[in-house]
Amino acid sequence: MAFRLPVVAEPEMPAGTDVSSTGRLPRWLKRPIPKSNSNHLTDSLMEEYGLETVCDNAKCPNRMECYSQQTATFMVLGNVCTRPCGFCAVSRGRPPAAPAVDEPDRIAKAAERLGLKHVVITSVTRDDLPDGGADHFHNCVIAVRERTGATTEVLTPDFVHCKEALARVIEAKPTVFNHNMETVPRLYRRVRGPKSDYAWTLEMMRQVKRYDAEVKTKSGLMLGLGEERGELLDALSDLREHDVDFLTLGQYLQPGEKYLPVVRYVPPEEFDELADIAKSMGFKKVASGPFVRSSYHARDMAETE
């Protein structure tokens, strides 16, 4: 199904905003390039083990910073997604192959080489698989923990066509289960595609706790897609009502012309304000800022009680 992107004006910025030299971005969205060579080492290690990262595939703005610190978010189950989300730069289409049975071991070896203490594993959505890739997630978590002793975080698809498969992921006892809400209900289908289900996103988070109350739950939203303040606060309230522990809020940045446009650039001070509001709602940990992404500094959040 093809998406017809809405025609919008230039993204909204607060009056008097200092912009970049191109005039296209506010200054707060420009960042220095890390000087460390560790980003090249991380990149080479991913290539050596034949691994994908969401950092590369999703064109994450934090890629160079994370790579320079010798960390990355591993992306399993290939690099072709079966969902046409309007915001995501990951390739979409029909995945060419079944899950690689040795991928969990390769991830564990790479995590060991990098010296990671907290390992984040995500994936493309694989609606073509009967279990949506749940068993593969399970195997990845077990392999990483057995080889490295690291804490683990899974950032999964919604398993909307195989809801019972969620149990298999939780059987592996990841430290953190993450699934991103991404946006408010009014924009859900436009942003996440026609197969998305806001109610199931919430219920899935509650179901994780039913399977294993010790697993921390986490979700995140992108801001600047046209959401209203009241809608956003209602969505955060919904997450808390479903016992979500951790929250991330970040600025949506359009990865290319064919993707959803940015409606508004949210200033840093507003992110700070939203963080305070979210903490007052009862989230145990909140990361909120223009460059925050769901796995950005994930270890710091996972270690917080």
Side-chain angles (χ1 to χ4, degrees), residues 2-3 7 63 72 74 93 114 117 185 259:
F3 276 89
V7 176
R63 174 188 176 279
F74 298 102
L114 288 167
K117 303 301 182 185
Y259 302 97

Side-chain angles (χ1 to χ4, degrees), residues 181-187 198 202 219-240 247-250 264 266 270-271 273-275 277-278 281 283 288:
M181 176 177 279
E182 305 292 13
T183 191
V184 300
R186 176 175 58 85
L187 302 174
Y198 182 83
L202 292 169
S219 192
L221 289 89
M222 303 173 292
L223 306 187
L225 283 160
E227 71 285 341
E228 300 292 337
R229 170 63 76 95
E231 294 178 308
L232 174 59
L233 297 183
D234 285 346
L236 301 189
S237 179
D238 286 342
L239 288 172
R240 280 302 302 137
L247 175 71
T248 59
L249 300 173
R264 177 173 177 253
V266 180
E270 187 171 336
F271 277 107
E273 178 190 3
L274 289 168
I277 293 172
M281 289 180 169
F283 288 100
S288 179

Side-chain angles (χ1 to χ4, degrees), residues 149-192:
T151 54
T152 55
E153 179 171 332
V154 293
L155 172 56
T156 76
D158 58 18
F159 302 115
V160 71
H161 295 308
C162 49
K163 297 175 181 178
E164 68 285 349
L166 176 65
R168 181 61 174 162
V169 179
I170 305 307
E171 281 175 13
K173 298 187 76 68
T175 311
V176 179
F177 177 89
N178 186 355
H179 178 74
N180 286 329
M181 176 177 279
E182 305 292 13
T183 191
V184 300
R186 176 175 58 85
L187 302 174
Y188 223 62
R189 295 294 178 91
R190 179 194 295 176
V191 172
R192 296 197 56 182

Side-chain angles (χ1 to χ4, degrees), residues 97-112:
V101 294
D102 67 335
E103 187 171 50
D105 187 54
R106 285 185 280 124
I107 288 174
K109 289 178 179 177
E112 183 180 45

